[in-house]
Amino acid sequence: MIGLFMNQSSYENDIRALMMAFFPGEKIVLNGEDTDHQVRVIFLPDKVKISLENEGKVVSVREGACDFSDYREAKNTLKRILYDCLSSYLGIELPWGTLTGIRPTKIAMDLLNRGFTDTQMYDYFKKEYYLSDEKYQLCTRVARNESRILKDLDYTSTYSLYVGIPFCPTICAYCSFSSFPLSVWRKKVDDYLEALFKELDYLASLPDEKHLLTLYMGGGTPTSLTASQMDRLLDKLSSIYDFSSIREITIEAGRPDSITMDKLKVIKSYGIDRISINPQTMKQKTLDLIGRKHTVDQVREAFAMAREAGFGNINMDLIAGLPEESVEDMEETLRQIALLGPESMTVHSLAIKRAAYMNKNREAFKVTSQEEVNHMIGASFKSALSMGMEPYYLYRQKNIAGNLENVGYAKKGCEGLYNILIMEEKQTIVAAGAGGATKIVIPGENRIERIENVKNVKDYIERIDEMIGRKQRFNIHGRKND
């Protein structure tokens, strides 16, 4: 545990986030006396003083002037002072410097839009955020690719739809998404679909003032549905929306053990070409350890099956920092993925959320070091480029391994537009299903209205009218209903 002492509560979340990056896995305790390390933050009228204590002895001190009339500038200044204090004693330099937000590319996008030159952008990131050269290159490269993909996109007349299928063959040890094991919930799947159809019917009843740009079916694992259930769902969706006019439709077929030729043929029959087959790793020992009840061979078989069914845009997800994996293991996984030849690849740094089995049983899993995870991420970058892919979206999470990032890579023309839109938060995204979070962009107000569905399948089925009622305050066009 790490103690945090402050003489006022301002900027506490920002301070905590940066402390967690320096002390991964440690609990930050406010005013915690009985801790080995304590961070003291003293706010004065025009400056801040930060000290680090180890077993009651001051081991590092930094202070600096701070203009508290400008919240953003004060926050950045405070984080730089805290970074200097912790880094000098611990001997640690964070790849992302003081950046702890989930969307660092938004900063780069803003600078590009403001006409910053390469030199100006580099100097800005170094001075403001202490960004490493490696992460600067990645961040700005992603921003330029995002700008290319989003060029001339009309946010005001379009929206996107997320459809959540919360069932999985089994629950992975690191997972905290809205996922329910099919072995337990199989008899409730049809009831769930009926509730989902009711929510979709409500969405279909709204005035058709905007065009549906992208549709994303995630979970959970959508291909946990049987072929006939998938057919019913896609038939419902295609009866509401003209699939031929939607720019992008994606279905996660994430678990290879959930994929059959019958299901793939159903998906393909609706003109859908973009799916995701997610091995996470190609090391069998790791798959067994994290609770993914499929084999490496099943990954290859599922990929080959998808190609045989005619799919020409396949994404594959990998995780860097899985327990007991080395950099060499990651490099071998990347080698095998390259042999399969997907059109896109998403590489996640392992993020262990509070509710995950892996978090509740940490002693059973060997944690990968920050340095190793960073090498894994670097290896994935090189591998993606060698496969003809470019990084096109990037985001970060709390509790992420090595305080690093998740990156989507794709061959040109195969990028997942929905992935960028969910990060940029410039377009309304309506979510249907258990655990779905609708984000409605309010025109002219620089504001987002967030409307969440309950996560539990049983609650969603029983309270579907309430879920619809939550959405009735606003329609998908961002206009408030009376």
Side-chain angles (χ1 to χ4, degrees):
M1 292 191 296
I2 310 298
L4 171 60
F5 299 83
M6 304 173 66
N7 65 336
Q8 66 182 57
S9 59
S10 306
Y11 309 98
E12 181 182 340
N13 289 339
D14 299 302
I15 292 168
R16 281 179 174 274
L18 190 53
M19 285 176 62
M20 288 172 65
F22 276 100
F23 298 101
E26 295 284 355
K27 184 178 181 180
I28 310 297
V29 182
L30 193 63
N31 301 325
E33 295 284 355
D34 189 23
T35 56
D36 289 339
H37 288 91
Q38 296 91 32
V39 173
R40 296 186 183 273
V41 182
I42 306 300
F43 292 91
L44 300 169
D46 58 355
K47 68 177 182 178
V48 65
K49 180 178 180 179
I50 300 177
S51 61
L52 173 65
E53 298 178 8
N54 183 16
E55 297 182 346
K57 179 182 178 182
V58 176
V59 293
S60 182
V61 179
R62 292 290 187 278
E63 63 179 80
C66 211
D67 179 8
F68 295 108
S69 66
D70 185 331
Y71 176 84
R72 179 182 171 279
E73 183 58 34
K75 178 184 72 172
N76 289 341
T77 300
L78 176 63
K79 289 171 74 174
R80 287 194 296 270
I81 295 170
L82 177 60
Y83 184 100
D84 289 338
C85 180
L86 298 180
S87 179
S88 63
Y89 173 71
L90 298 172
I92 296 172
E93 292 186 358
L94 301 176
W96 283 101
T98 65
L99 279 177
T100 54
I102 66 171
R103 290 179 290 273
T105 52
K106 293 190 82 169
I107 300 169
M109 292 275 280
D110 178 61
L111 297 180
L112 285 172
N113 292 334
R114 288 161 58 186
F116 273 52
T117 65
D118 288 348
T119 300
Q120 289 172 325
M121 285 180 65
Y122 179 82
D123 291 343
Y124 180 85
F125 272 108
K126 284 290 184 181
K127 179 183 177 182
E128 273 307 291
Y129 303 111
Y130 297 167
L131 212 63
S132 70
D133 287 357
E134 177 189 16
K135 299 309 177 188
Y136 167 77
Q137 294 294 339
L138 175 63
C139 184
T140 53
R141 191 163 184 161
V142 169
R144 288 189 171 89
N145 283 320
E146 276 195 23
S147 296
R148 168 180 57 82
I149 296 164
L150 297 178
K151 186 180 179 182
D152 302 325
L153 187 67
D154 183 2
Y155 296 106
T156 60
S157 65
T158 60
Y159 73 103
S160 292
L161 175 66
Y162 175 86
V163 178
I165 305 299
F167 307 104
C168 273
T170 58
I171 307 303
C172 300
Y174 52 79
C175 184
S176 65
F177 289 114
S178 299
S179 302
F180 295 81
L182 201 60
S183 59
V184 178
W185 292 89
R186 192 180 305 277
K187 292 181 180 179
K188 287 290 184 181
V189 175
D190 286 330
D191 291 340
Y192 176 81
L193 289 178
E194 288 304 316
L196 178 62
F197 291 172
K198 189 171 185 179
E199 187 174 16
L200 291 171
D201 282 334
Y202 165 72
L203 295 176
S205 71
L206 297 174
D208 191 17
E209 299 173 13
K210 286 189 175 185
H211 171 66
L212 182 59
L213 184 70
T214 73
L215 189 161
Y216 192 98
M217 189 185 297
T221 306
T223 43
S224 292
L225 301 177
T226 65
S228 61
Q229 289 167 339
M230 179 65 74
D231 191 33
R232 284 177 57 209
L233 176 54
L234 291 175
D235 182 63
K236 166 61 75 173
L237 286 166
S238 63
S239 70
I240 297 171
Y241 306 103
D242 178 7
F243 276 15
S244 65
S245 68
I246 300 175
R247 178 165 163 178
E248 173 187 286
I249 301 176
T250 302
I251 294 181
E252 286 189 14
R255 289 284 292 266
D257 47 335
S258 72
I259 297 172
T260 67
M261 182 57 82
D262 285 344
K263 295 176 189 180
L264 292 171
K265 286 180 177 178
V266 166
I267 295 169
K268 195 64 180 172
S269 71
Y270 285 88
I272 298 168
D273 191 49
R274 192 172 196 277
I275 62 172
S276 187
I277 299 172
N278 304 331
Q280 313 304 10
T281 176
M282 296 293 273
K283 183 179 179 180
Q284 188 62 53
K285 184 178 178 181
T286 308
L287 291 173
D288 297 338
L289 179 64
I290 62 177
R292 287 181 75 86
K293 303 299 184 183
H294 65 80
T295 66
V296 170
D297 283 341
Q298 281 179 298
V299 175
R300 299 189 187 98
E301 290 163 4
F303 192 92
M305 205 185 304
R307 286 293 196 224
E308 184 182 345
F311 287 90
N313 192 346
I314 302 175
N315 174 75
M316 302 191 85
D317 279 13
L318 305 177
I319 298 179
L322 288 169
E324 300 186 18
E325 285 215 343
S326 65
V327 175
E328 290 73 23
D329 291 328
M330 184 68 176
E331 289 173 340
E332 176 58 21
T333 287
L334 291 164
R335 187 190 70 79
Q336 293 191 47
I337 296 301
L339 290 175
L340 292 174
E343 282 64 43
S344 59
M345 177 176 72
T346 308
V347 182
H348 303 266
S349 297
L350 178 66
I352 305 175
K353 297 298 182 66
R354 185 171 53 188
Y357 176 83
M358 194 178 289
N359 184 54
K360 295 177 180 178
N361 298 271
R362 283 181 175 268
E363 68 283 352
F365 300 94
K366 180 184 175 183
V367 178
T368 307
S369 72
Q370 175 176 313
E371 184 179 7
E372 285 181 298
V373 178
N374 199 27
H375 283 309
M376 291 176 179
I377 293 295
S380 68
F381 178 81
K382 293 177 182 177
S383 179
L385 296 187
S386 72
M387 287 189 276
M389 299 179 187
E390 277 285 321
Y392 74 95
Y393 85 104
L394 180 157
Y395 69 100
R396 303 172 74 207
Q397 298 168 265
K398 291 181 180 179
N399 305 317
I400 197 167
N403 190 39
L404 294 167
E405 69 275 356
N406 305 318
V407 185
Y409 301 92
K411 296 178 180 178
K412 193 170 183 179
C414 296
E415 303 92 350
L417 179 57
Y418 176 88
N419 293 326
I420 301 176
L421 294 172
I422 197 74
M423 289 294 107
E424 284 300 307
E425 295 187 326
K426 293 180 180 178
Q427 184 202 55
T428 288
I429 296 181
V430 179
T438 294
K439 296 180 181 179
I440 299 179
V441 176
I442 310 299
E445 297 184 23
N446 192 29
R447 182 168 65 86
I448 292 174
E449 185 79 11
R450 187 180 176 93
I451 306 168
E452 295 187 350
N453 284 349
V454 292
K455 295 181 179 180
N456 184 274
V457 168
K458 183 175 181 291
D459 289 342
Y460 177 79
I461 294 168
E462 294 176 353
R463 297 165 59 187
I464 186 59
D465 290 335
E466 179 189 337
M467 299 305 100
I468 292 170
R470 293 180 182 184
K471 287 185 170 67
Q472 287 174 339
R473 288 178 54 246
F474 286 85
N475 68 24
I476 59 175
H477 312 299
R479 172 168 45 78
K480 192 170 184 179
N481 292 326
D482 296 327

